[in-house]
Amino acid sequence: MKLGMVLEGGGMRGMYTAGILDVLMENEIVVDGIVGVSAGTVFGCNYKSKQIGRTIRYNKKYCKDPRYGSMKSLLKTGDIFDKDFCYNRLPKELDPFDYKTFTENPMEFYATCTDANTGKAFYKRCYNGDDKELEWFRASASMPLVSKVVEIDGGAYLDGGIADSIPIRWMQEKGFEKNIVILTRPEGYRKSKNRLLWLMRIALHKYPNMIKAMKNRHINYNESLDEVFRLRKEGKVLLFCPDAGMDVSRTESDPDKLEEAYRMGKKHAFARLEEIRAFMKS
């Protein structure tokens, strides 16, 4: 039986996820495969590269940098997260990503993207984190309206959360019968209709299937939640959710709030270490 992990997106709410992943690494708890969505991809890759503390470190250091999530970057480059800074300078110079460990680690790693032409989810397996794969990371985390469509091999892609925010069904189909699922919304959260759909119809008019996916996103999201809860009852999912009081936005630039979310994730993981080990053994 293969053990998997599903990492929801949510922008900087992913600091909660980072705290959990660091505790797992500190306690040498490993899974056979990960599927990340948006922030779950760009932060979750540090679990495969075994870099404890890297996610919270560089996010706190650069969260106020205008190249790292700002209207200035959006107006200047067309992306709220500057491509060169986030996917070139940061992983190669400022806080180096361990490409060697990522490549040598046999853990399967998948980045979830949304195909802009079909409106369907595309799950890209990443092996080494090279420049080509970093483009898949970027596509997975490119939020509509504040990011340009990412073109790869003749295709066009955006945020994986549009088509499949919580790819639990896909992981089970891949043979990962038991999964640790880390969400970035509190338990009880339900997604509602997108109030900016009218604006997306204008901005993404070249991609009608993407618009359809956005229109149905809340339905698919809530159905995935229901599936997660059903599988939890069956003992096939171990679920983590932040507390309702976590006050972190998708583009949070307050380092103290990021630290608070990160510590919440660590606290939750520490408290459930024995439960995690038992889940993996059962």
Side-chain angles (χ1 to χ4, degrees):
M1 179 182 292
K2 293 199 296 183
L3 178 68
M5 189 181 298
V6 179
L7 307 179
E8 185 185 13
M12 292 305 175
R13 292 196 299 273
M15 292 305 102
Y16 172 76
T17 303
I20 295 172
L21 296 182
D22 279 357
V23 170
L24 298 185
M25 285 190 280
E26 289 165 357
N27 288 273
E28 300 182 347
I29 295 174
V30 298
V31 297
D32 299 302
I34 292 179
V35 61
V37 181
S38 193
T41 297
V42 295
F43 299 155
C45 63
N46 294 302
Y47 180 71
K48 180 171 164 64
S49 64
K50 302 180 181 180
Q51 292 179 272
I52 299 171
R54 180 173 183 265
T55 302
I56 186 64
R57 182 174 63 243
Y58 75 73
N59 275 281
K60 286 183 64 178
K61 184 173 183 179
Y62 297 108
C63 63
K64 291 185 178 296
D65 191 306
R67 297 167 296 180
Y68 194 69
S70 71
M71 287 302 298
K72 182 177 181 180
S73 174
L74 179 61
L75 294 173
K76 182 179 179 180
T77 70
D79 286 299
I80 193 167
F81 293 98
D82 182 274
K83 173 185 174 180
D84 180 64
F85 180 77
C86 295
Y87 297 95
N88 183 27
R89 290 200 62 201
L90 183 55
K92 295 178 182 178
E93 303 171 16
L94 300 176
D95 199 323
F97 181 65
D98 191 339
Y99 296 94
K100 183 175 184 294
T101 299
F102 185 92
T103 302
E104 294 175 350
N105 189 340
M107 182 189 303
E108 298 177 36
F109 188 87
Y110 299 90
T112 307
C113 305
T114 299
D115 187 318
N117 291 305
T118 67
K120 297 184 181 300
F122 182 80
Y123 311 90
K124 174 64 177 178
R125 183 169 180 182
C126 299
Y127 296 88
N128 52 41
D130 62 11
D131 288 348
K132 183 69 170 290
E133 291 187 351
L134 282 178
E135 282 295 275
W136 288 107
F137 286 15
R138 185 167 75 92
S140 179
S142 289
M143 299 180 289
L145 296 183
V146 293
S147 306
K148 293 185 290 188
V149 171
V150 180
E151 298 181 356
I152 308 173
D153 293 337
Y157 303 89
L158 274 175
D159 193 323
I162 298 169
D164 195 356
S165 297
I166 313 169
I168 183 63
R169 295 186 186 90
W170 184 82
M171 282 295 272
Q172 290 221 305
E173 290 170 1
K174 290 289 290 183
F176 295 91
E177 297 178 42
K178 299 186 71 174
N179 290 275
I180 297 172
V181 177
I182 304 177
L183 304 181
T184 57
R185 293 286 195 180
E187 188 162 349
Y189 171 80
R190 304 292 286 186
K191 189 171 288 294
S192 56
K193 292 181 179 180
N194 193 313
R195 292 176 294 178
L196 295 178
L197 190 61
W198 65 273
L199 185 55
M200 292 184 182
R201 286 195 173 101
I202 299 172
L204 298 170
H205 65 276
K206 294 181 180 179
Y207 305 103
N209 288 322
M210 178 69 83
I211 303 289
K212 291 179 182 177
M214 288 299 306
K215 182 179 179 180
N216 296 321
R217 184 184 181 190
H218 68 292
I219 298 173
N220 295 331
Y221 182 94
N222 293 333
E223 287 179 350
S224 293
L225 276 180
D226 291 340
E227 182 69 3
V228 166
F229 297 144
R230 183 184 71 81
L231 291 170
R232 179 172 65 172
K233 288 182 180 179
E234 295 180 359
K236 295 179 180 178
V237 158
L238 183 66
L239 180 62
F240 282 91
C241 299
D243 298 336
M246 189 176 83
D247 181 24
V248 177
S249 69
R250 292 177 66 89
T251 56
E252 187 62 63
S253 59
D254 184 338
D256 292 334
K257 288 186 177 182
L258 298 183
E259 178 71 24
E260 183 179 351
Y262 173 75
R263 289 186 178 277
M264 181 187 295
K266 295 200 73 171
K267 178 182 178 181
H268 285 186
F270 272 126
R272 300 176 67 185
L273 275 175
E274 294 308 313
E275 183 183 356
I276 295 169
R277 292 191 176 103
F279 178 78
M280 297 177 70
K281 291 179 181 178
S282 62

